[in-house]
Amino acid sequence: MSNDTTTSGLTFDIQPSSARRTPQERAALLESPGFGSVFTDHMVTIRYSEEKGWHDARLEAYAPLSLDPATSSLHYAQEIFEGLKAYHHPDGRVVCFRPEANAARFNRSAVRMAMPELPEDLFLKSIELIIEHDADWVPTKEGHSLYLRPFMISTDIGLGVNNPSRTYLYILIASPAASYFSGGVSPVSVWLSEDYTRAAPGGTGEAKFAGNYAASFRAQAQAVEKGCDQVVWLDASEHRWVEEMGGMNLFFVFGSGDDARVLTPALTGTLLPGVTRDSVLRLAPEMGVPAEEGRISVEEWRSAAASGDLTEVFACGTAAVITPVGRVASPHGEFVIGDGKAGPVTMRLREELVGIQYGERPDPFGWIRPMR
Ligand SMILES: *Cc1c(COP(=O)(O)O)cnc(C)c1O
């Protein structure tokens, strides 16, 4: 960290906004920001072309983009994104949680979508710059954070569909976010989707690719029609093996007390490799809860819940951290996990992870990176 704005041979052009919100306007917006609807005063943009590589890096006022209607991303959906948070620590620092993992995943997504990789130091520098210039937008309220949304779109103009774009635009925007559960952590109900699939072998499920979300909305709407909060995705060929919940990874808790252990579906190529998932896999054993990657079928989920072997289920991801799952419904009926409430293993893991993120617990894994 320094005020030097040269990274990977690129010097960022710093053009602070001339239309910053006043402290009063900002305070009003930070009062209850919700999720993903309030944005800070600035954004970072970096352009790419085959001839120049990454170039034209700048911090500038948050503003609408001007795009030719024939811009390729609008037609062929070359678009990837990331999601991570910045937290205000009690010592005054602003930190991110494992941002290097997001930088690495961004590049894996880029490779899958035939897009250029962004040097990791540019990804991290863009975050440092927006946090420096929008420092007053990092919430200090308990449980609140600054949600960071890096993304990349293709920008070639033309409808030729045979080749990937040769030009791209990377953008970072930031959005203050309230705690996901303002009224305490409450379990969600899930619908096991047999009509739709999120990802198939060889497809794009492993990439944080915008089109995966476009393809999921119909299934999510069906889950809501069936009286559930979230859709659970099953494997594409047998509709039998559990993969993910909406935009979060799933964990199954077997046994209880000292005998509790957790299992999460293995990364088969159709699951999104969550940073939170990876963190739980490493954190749980340190807390005395063995963790494994494996597979679980819908039948096993149902029977283990009925026998009591399966005691808790939770979903995890950056936005909501850890969310208990209370009720499961499918075309073949429904069942409850445990007593339908948030279980002790779920809540212990949640408190530990949130504690590390907010600087209230030690960080034995070196997951916290000061950004300012
Ligand atoms: C982003 C995402 C996750 C969670 O990943 P985190 O890195 O933990 O936020 C899980 N599933 C899908 C489909 C996602 O897009």
Side-chain angles (χ1 to χ4, degrees):
M1 279 183 304
S2 72
N3 290 325
D4 175 9
T5 49
T6 301
T7 306
S8 266
L10 271 191
T11 301
F12 282 81
D13 184 7
I14 306 295
Q15 300 171 358
S17 170
S18 55
R20 287 171 173 243
R21 260 73 50 91
T22 65
Q24 292 79 357
E25 287 170 328
R26 192 174 55 237
L29 289 167
L30 287 175
E31 193 49 42
S32 56
F35 182 81
S37 49
V38 172
F39 297 94
T40 64
D41 290 322
H42 296 97
M43 62 185 188
V44 175
T45 57
I46 316 177
R47 293 188 174 270
Y48 177 90
S49 69
E50 269 177 10
E51 311 78 63
K52 295 192 199 164
W54 289 102
H55 65 282
D56 196 8
R58 51 178 79 187
L59 174 115
E60 58 196 332
Y62 182 100
L65 304 173
S66 172
L67 293 174
D68 188 288
T71 299
S72 64
S73 51
L74 300 178
H75 300 269
Y76 306 129
Q78 260 189 305
E79 198 219 325
I80 58 169
F81 66 96
E82 270 302 325
L84 70 164
K85 287 173 169 175
Y87 309 88
H88 232 298
H89 271 199
D91 62 9
R93 293 185 307 177
V94 176
V95 311
C96 279
F97 182 75
R98 305 185 68 187
E100 310 83 3
N102 296 91
R105 187 172 64 191
F106 194 61
N107 283 337
R108 293 198 303 273
S109 300
V111 168
R112 176 61 186 86
M113 306 315 295
M115 299 168 90
E117 293 176 68
L118 179 73
E120 193 172 302
D121 59 349
L122 282 178
F123 183 96
L124 296 173
K125 187 74 193 178
S126 69
I127 295 173
E128 284 175 12
L129 281 176
I130 208 159
I131 288 175
E132 178 187 337
H133 290 269
D134 285 331
D136 294 336
W137 286 94
V138 184
T140 50
K141 273 194 181 184
E142 186 181 346
H144 290 209
S145 57
L146 184 67
Y147 182 78
L148 300 159
R149 169 51 62 89
F151 64 106
M152 192 202 317
I153 60 171
S154 63
T155 52
D156 271 11
I157 295 168
L159 302 182
V161 74
N162 289 329
N163 292 300
S165 179
R166 285 154 308 158
T167 60
Y168 295 87
L169 175 61
Y170 166 82
I171 308 180
L172 170 64
I173 55 177
S175 174
S179 168
Y180 218 78
F181 298 102
S182 41
V185 177
S186 55
V188 296
S189 55
V190 298
W191 173 253
L192 303 181
S193 181
E194 295 185 356
D195 292 342
Y196 302 103
T197 44
R198 192 189 84 90
T204 57
E206 220 171 17
K208 229 165 159 65
F209 158 55
N212 290 341
Y213 275 75
S216 77
F217 294 141
R218 182 68 199 101
Q220 174 59 30
Q222 187 181 52
V224 171
E225 279 164 26
K226 302 292 183 181
C228 295
D229 299 307
Q230 290 285 334
V231 60
V232 160
W233 303 105
L234 306 175
D235 74 291
S237 38
E238 293 184 75
H239 283 260
R240 179 171 177 216
W241 304 102
V242 180
E243 298 204 325
E244 296 189 59
M245 181 191 92
M248 301 174 82
N249 296 111
L250 280 169
F251 274 83
F252 296 81
V253 184
F254 293 91
S256 57
D258 290 345
D259 294 328
R261 60 187 178 86
V262 297
L263 175 140
T264 190
L267 301 177
T268 55
T270 50
L271 279 77
L272 197 291
V275 177
T276 319
R277 173 189 179 279
D278 185 69
S279 305
V280 170
L281 278 173
R282 289 165 66 181
L283 188 60
E286 294 296 315
M287 296 172 63
V289 181
E292 63 171 320
E293 303 177 73
R295 64 176 189 174
I296 179 167
S297 66
V298 170
E299 306 92 82
E300 196 186 341
W301 189 350
R302 188 191 314 270
S303 64
S307 72
D309 288 346
L310 178 72
T311 48
E312 305 173 34
V313 176
F314 63 86
C316 65
T318 297
V321 197
I322 286 181
T323 305
V325 175
R327 184 172 65 88
V328 184
S330 79
H332 316 292
E334 62 174 79
F335 57 96
V336 172
I337 315 292
D339 59 4
K341 303 209 173 73
V345 175
T346 301
M347 293 311 286
R348 267 177 65 213
L349 285 166
R350 183 184 161 80
E351 276 155 31
E352 189 65 29
L353 198 53
V354 170
I356 293 172
Q357 291 172 337
Y358 283 90
E360 286 143 10
R361 303 265 169 107
D363 169 31
F365 306 96
W367 284 339
I368 292 305
R369 184 183 173 110
M371 307 303 286
R372 185 179 161 76

